Amino acid sequence: MRQQIGDEPDPAVGDEVVAVVAPHASILPGRFPPIGRNRLPSVDDMKISILGTGNMAAALAQAWIGAGHTVTIAGRSADKAAELAGRLGAYAAAPSEAAAGADAVVVAVLWDGVPDMIELAGGSRGALRGVPVLDCTNPVDFATGAHRLAAGSAAETIAAQAPGASVVKALHMYAGQMWLTSQERPRVVAICGDDEAALDVVGQLVTDLGGTPVAVGGLDRARQLEEAAGFVVSLYGKGVDPSTAIPSVG
């Protein structure tokens, strides 16, 4: 049963860091205009379920609650989910309840925990069928930036494990805390997926964070986006600002 606990926002804490800081990106053509609302209240109150209780989950939950959305936290640990929900003014639920009534489900755990979390959420039993599933995981070696899958992508793996889910790759290039800070320059979020309606939902959620969503293609582009995160990680590990490795076209 979903349970709302507390109403006091608090800085994100946890141990499931799943994103990296992205380089500055010029606005590229795509389905969505560069609107970047910077967390102003959303026109529509979406119901968002987040699978995870770590840093990324906490930061996204706090930002989306600030944008006027209703957020449910679902973690493998009921105690952690309840504690995080209590600090942020969110709801807490078991992973098996996450998809019920949700406008979007967000996968925000470390890659090693993804298969177990999708199974707990009922992915193999069709619980995510027809639901926009935002995958912000990074299946990369954080020491080298190398992709950990021999073929395919994390997003495609989730889609295979959860038949009928409308998976969209997004938000994996930015650390969650960046959406809780002021924005001095555009933050473009490349997204990809096969379902137009799911792309619209994720595009709106990105916009409500203050980002500019740009659709770059179908889910077969997800590995390219994940490899880009690995590229950023490899440069960051060498003490290089990744933005200096991207030519400006402006």
Side-chain angles (χ1 to χ4, degrees), residues 51 103-107 118 128-136 158 162 165-170 192 198 202 219:
L51 301 175
D103 295 306
V105 171
V106 179
V107 185
I118 297 300
L128 298 172
R129 185 176 299 277
V131 179
V133 175
L134 193 167
D135 167 33
C136 61
I158 292 171
S166 300
V167 180
V168 175
K169 189 74 187 186
C192 68
V202 172
L219 204 61

Side-chain angles (χ1 to χ4, degrees), residues 3-95:
Q3 179 182 6
Q4 188 172 26
I5 312 169
D7 58 4
E8 295 183 2
D10 197 78
V13 297
D15 56 4
E16 293 171 340
V17 181
V18 297
V20 297
V21 178
H24 172 62
S26 300
I27 295 176
L28 303 175
R31 275 178 44 79
F32 304 100
I35 41 185
R37 300 197 309 183
N38 197 19
R39 300 193 306 281
L40 292 176
S42 175
V43 174
D44 298 314
D45 173 12
M46 293 192 200
K47 294 179 175 60
I48 308 163
S49 290
I50 300 179
L51 301 175
T53 57
N55 291 330
M56 188 69 163
L60 290 176
Q62 185 173 339
W64 279 324
I65 289 170
H69 297 303
T70 299
V71 174
T72 295
I73 303 293
R76 285 169 289 187
S77 166
D79 289 342
K80 286 185 178 180
E83 189 276 333
L84 180 58
R87 287 191 291 106
L88 300 180
Y91 291 85

